[in-house]
Amino acid sequence: MRLLGNILWLILGGLFLSLGWAIVGLVLCVSIIGIPLGIQAFKMAELTLTPFGKTVVYRGGVGSTLANIVWVVVVGVWMALGYVGAGLLNCLTIIGIPFGIQSFKMAKLALWPFGADIVSL
């Protein structure tokens, strides 16, 4: 089921979203200050490429919490709202519910990416 979900996800736009995140990550990694942000964009690209069968595990720390607070204020809220909106639209149909659940998972990562690891189930 994971394979089928990931194939449909890629066909319906996941590949383009993942490429977009990867490009954003590359652009952010041009400067030294942007490297930590670029790494978070690469995390989003990884989860966006094949979200079925993966989960986000949070390990904390003072540094990641402070970085997440800055992230939330600057861009995290808007990115998370976009994913929540997409998830709600996907959940309007029974067929779209699994895709909506994946969008909600990405919203959580978009809101709080520092200190998060993506692991396969």
Side-chain angles (χ1 to χ4, degrees):
M1 194 62 172
R2 291 182 212 169
L3 179 65
L4 179 61
N6 283 328
I7 290 171
L8 286 173
W9 181 270
L10 287 173
I11 292 171
L12 297 174
L15 181 63
F16 295 112
L17 285 172
S18 182
L19 286 174
W21 276 113
I23 291 169
V24 167
L26 288 173
V27 169
L28 286 171
C29 285
V30 169
S31 71
I32 292 174
I33 296 172
I35 289 174
L37 302 175
I39 292 170
Q40 305 318 308
F42 290 137
K43 281 185 196 176
M44 289 299 299
E46 178 186 354
L47 186 61
T48 303
L49 188 61
T50 53
F52 289 92
K54 293 183 180 175
T55 188
V56 179
V57 176
Y58 290 94
R59 52 176 174 74
V62 175
S64 62
T65 301
L66 293 174
N68 278 323
I69 291 170
V70 172
W71 177 273
V72 166
V73 171
V74 177
V75 294
V77 171
W78 303 111
M79 290 175 19
L81 285 175
Y83 279 114
V84 168
L88 290 173
L89 288 175
N90 281 320
C91 287
L92 290 176
T93 65
I94 292 174
I95 296 171
I97 290 174
F99 298 102
I101 291 170
Q102 302 309 313
S103 293
F104 296 141
K105 181 179 10 177
M106 285 183 261
K108 185 178 175 184
L109 182 63
L111 187 64
W112 206 256
F114 289 91
D117 291 323
I118 300 169
V119 295
S120 296
L121 295 174

